[in-house]
Each structure stands twice: as structure tokens, then as C-alpha cells.
Amino acid sequence: MRNVIIIGSGPAGWTAAVYAARANLQPILFEGHEPGGQLMTTTDVENFPGFPEGIQGPELMRLMREQAKRFGTEIVSELVESLKPIDGGFEVVVKGQAHQAKTVILSTGATARRLGLESEKALYGKGVSACATCDGFFFRGKKVIIVGGGDSAMEEAMFLTRFAEHVTVVHRRAEFRASKIMQERVLNHPKISVIWNAAIEEILGVDVGHVTGVRLKDTVTGETKEIPIDGVFAAIGHEPNVALVKGLVDLDEKGYIQTVPGRALTNIPGLFACGDVQDHRYRQAITAAGSGCMAALEAERYLADHETA
Ligand code: NAP
């Protein structure tokens, strides 16, 4: 039985691995089928301390992976299929093979929610994006739509005005849920207009291979109309990747893993969580990394306590 299994390979997982490996816990990390997580679809990361000129998201992940490896983390490029408690620890199954450990650190992250349209899938990366900060640059002088009414939608709408000629926020209700200050910035911006009570029924342009417009449906009257547009950004929240632990650990009201405030502890002793899977508030690479460090320190203490017990 190992000391620690780490599941997930974003900044939280890699930081946990660096700390666990340097504490001589010989961690094994399962990096999944989309190693690196959300930073792999980010370009410039300008707010991760230590990189005054900024760094590309994938490069930051590569460096963290190298660092975890250097201290002896065993890295497995597979997806964990299941996780269950066993006597004295936990068992995870990977490609049909069981691995056991006294502790598990969960850092499976979150995934941007999609609109769920076939046309969205077909035109993803061809005018459809879930990340304004990643792709906004490609829409210089263009007209774009941003879907959503939360802080992310407001923030991304503002960000897109740096490039786009015009930004239209499409929201399914008649009021935003975003904070007042962010709403006001959007509502007062000369380059931004809002279409209330509207949902995208279809993204147009599949036939030509890039976004040419959208068909909107009024959520009150049911009326539809088509408008020409060059890009569609969804900022409709994230889903935590909790499939492995559903029914096993306590989740909060938003479906994220519930951790003890200020700690990386879940309700199951020996099972720790870090990064976006337990954080719907900050969702930053640096906060994820910080919580990964916390999870590894917790695991280390837990193992020490159980050795002497
Ligand atoms: P959010 O607050 O959950 O907002 C999601 C928005 O998308 C809501 O307006 C929701 O509509 C809409 N939506 C959800 N599913 C949809 C669908 N299928 N079709 C159309 N619209 C849909 O998510 P978020 O904006 O990503 O923010 C997450 C958290 O991070 C929040 O706590 C937020 O305050 C925080 N945050 C803070 C900042 C900041 O302070 N700088 C920046 C970004 C995020 P309804 O309103 O109708 O539900």
C-alpha cells in the first residue's frame, strides 16, 4: 500500500506532488486524459508570481510536471475509473488495475460548462470558445456574443471590448446575477449591448466551417430571430469534476467538494481535496497551487499521526 495517490494534473495536483515527493512520500499521480487541465487552453498567464514577462499556460504545466518528476513522483497518463475506501486507506482502479494508498489527494478540477448544442460542438475553435482570455485576441475588429449573466460573463465581455468591434451579452433572464459594480461597467460600456431574455437556439455557420451568426430564441415569448455574428463565447459557469466521489464525500450546495474552511480536509479522513474541484470562488492557478500544497501537508501529517497511533 502506497502513502499517497494524487488524482488530477492541474496546478493543484502538481503542487501536491512536489510537496509529497519532497516529503519522501513517493506519490503516484494519475494525470488523466486531458493532462494539465484548464491551463492547457490558456495562452498568456500574467498573474502567476515568478514570471514577470508572463508564461504560456501549457508551459507552466510542463514545468510543474518536470518539478514533480524531479523529486520522484510516479506519473501515470491514465484516467482513474473508480475510487473507494478500503481497510486502512483507499483503492483506485485504473485501466482495470487496482492501486491502494493510505491517503488520496483529489485535484480533478472543473470544466467550463457548454451550451450543449451540436452546432457549438461542430464550430468549437472556429468562432466558438469558452474562454475569452484565451481566444479574444482572434476577434480583433469583429462582432461577438457572450452568453451568461454572472461575474465571468461581465469580466469576459469587458475583456473582449479590447479586441472586438462590438460585444453583445445574451442572457436568459431579465437581470444579471453578477455583482453590481461589474454589471454597471458592462451596462455603461459604449461597445457592449445586452439582449435580455434570450437563449442561443442554434449557432449558424456549420456549413461553411466558421461562425456566421446565431439564432436566438426569446425565453419569454418563444420568438426566434437570426443575427450575424463572428464569435460566440459561453461564460455560463463551470462544473466541478466530482464523478469519482459522488455519494462518497460531502459536496457543497453548488456541487463542489466540501472542504473544511481554510483546510484541505474532506469529511472522509485521509481523503483530501484541492484546486477547482473544491473552489468555485477563486479558481486561479495560484490559489489551486496553494491548496495543493495544503493537501500534501495534510496528507503528510495524517500519515505521521497514523504511524504513531
Ligand atoms: P455563475 O455565477 O454561476 O453564473 C453563470 C451564468 O450563466 C448565470 O447568469 C446563469 O444564468 C448563466 N447560465 C448557466 N447555465 C446556462 C445555460 N445553459 N444557458 C445560458 N445561460 C446559462 O458563474 P460565473 O460567472 O462563472 O462565476 C462563478 C463564481 O466566480 C461566482 O461566485 C462569481 O462571483 C465568481 N467570479 C468572480 C469574479 C470577480 O469578482 N472578478 C470574476 C469571475 C467569477 P442565471 O443567472 O439565469 O442562472
Side-chain angles (χ1 to χ4, degrees):
M1 185 174 284
R2 287 177 174 271
N3 289 311
V4 55
I5 285 174
I6 301 170
I7 308 175
S9 57
W14 290 129
T15 306
V18 168
Y19 272 78
R22 290 190 78 257
N24 211 18
L25 300 180
Q26 288 134 351
I28 181 168
L29 182 146
F30 296 100
E31 61 178 350
H33 286 162
E34 289 168 35
Q38 293 178 70
L39 277 175
M40 300 304 280
T41 53
T42 308
T43 50
D44 282 331
V45 180
E46 294 183 328
N47 52 11
F48 200 92
F51 299 93
E53 306 302 324
I55 183 167
Q56 299 288 300
E59 177 63 4
L60 181 60
M61 288 302 87
R62 190 187 68 77
L63 292 171
M64 285 195 190
R65 189 180 191 275
E66 277 308 301
Q67 196 170 350
K69 208 168 153 188
R70 177 179 157 217
F71 296 112
T73 303
E74 186 180 337
I75 300 168
V76 181
S77 306
E78 293 293 344
L79 203 62
V80 173
E81 286 146 23
S82 66
L83 162 69
K84 66 171 185 196
I86 54 167
D87 216 13
F90 302 89
E91 183 176 282
V92 307
V93 174
V94 179
K95 262 195 145 182
Q97 199 192 337
H99 300 256
Q100 300 179 337
K102 294 175 201 160
T103 65
V104 168
I105 294 176
L106 280 164
S107 50
T108 45
T111 304
R113 224 179 258 150
R114 301 267 168 96
L115 297 169
L117 302 169
E118 279 305 316
S119 48
E120 177 190 31
K121 219 185 274 174
L123 292 168
Y124 206 82
K126 296 169 185 151
V128 176
S129 167
C131 177
T133 32
C134 323
D135 302 325
F137 183 79
F138 303 116
F139 293 84
R140 201 172 280 281
K142 305 256 163 102
K143 292 192 177 74
V144 299
I145 275 181
I146 180 132
V147 185
D151 282 330
S152 298
M154 303 301 111
E155 200 168 65
E156 299 199 354
M158 293 295 298
F159 180 80
L160 286 168
T161 60
R162 293 193 211 167
F163 312 101
E165 178 195 302
H166 190 79
V167 179
T168 305
V169 179
V170 170
H171 184 39
R172 62 185 179 183
R173 293 187 296 133
E175 61 177 338
F176 289 139
R177 72 167 58 232
S179 55
K180 278 279 170 289
I181 185 163
M182 309 268 282
Q183 290 195 29
E184 273 162 24
R185 276 185 207 147
V186 162
L187 294 170
N188 293 326
H189 199 289
K191 276 177 139 187
I192 304 179
S193 56
V194 181
I195 302 181
W196 302 104
N197 295 321
I200 295 186
E201 195 177 61
E202 207 61 76
I203 301 171
L204 310 173
V206 175
D207 48 337
V208 292
H210 64 90
V211 173
T212 56
V214 291
R215 187 164 67 246
L216 295 177
K217 185 175 182 177
D218 189 302
T219 53
V220 178
T221 65
E223 265 172 55
T224 59
K225 66 173 175 187
E226 288 186 5
I227 57 171
I229 210 82
D230 305 303
V232 176
F233 290 81
I236 57 174
H238 290 76
E239 294 289 348
N241 300 321
V242 292
L244 271 182
V245 291
K246 253 203 177 131
L248 177 63
V249 303
D250 287 349
L251 304 179
D252 67 16
E253 74 286 354
K254 293 195 173 188
Y256 288 70
I257 293 177
Q258 178 95 56
T259 45
V260 173
R263 308 278 302 268
L265 311 178
T266 70
N267 63 310
I268 312 270
L271 186 58
F272 307 97
C274 50
D276 284 12
V277 72
Q278 52 86 60
D279 170 26
H280 62 82
R281 191 172 298 275
Y282 301 111
R283 302 188 292 115
Q284 301 299 302
I286 189 69
T287 48
S291 68
C293 160
M294 289 158 63
L297 294 178
E298 295 283 11
E300 192 184 345
R301 278 178 204 151
Y302 176 91
L303 289 163
D305 288 350
H306 284 74
E307 247 159 47
T308 52

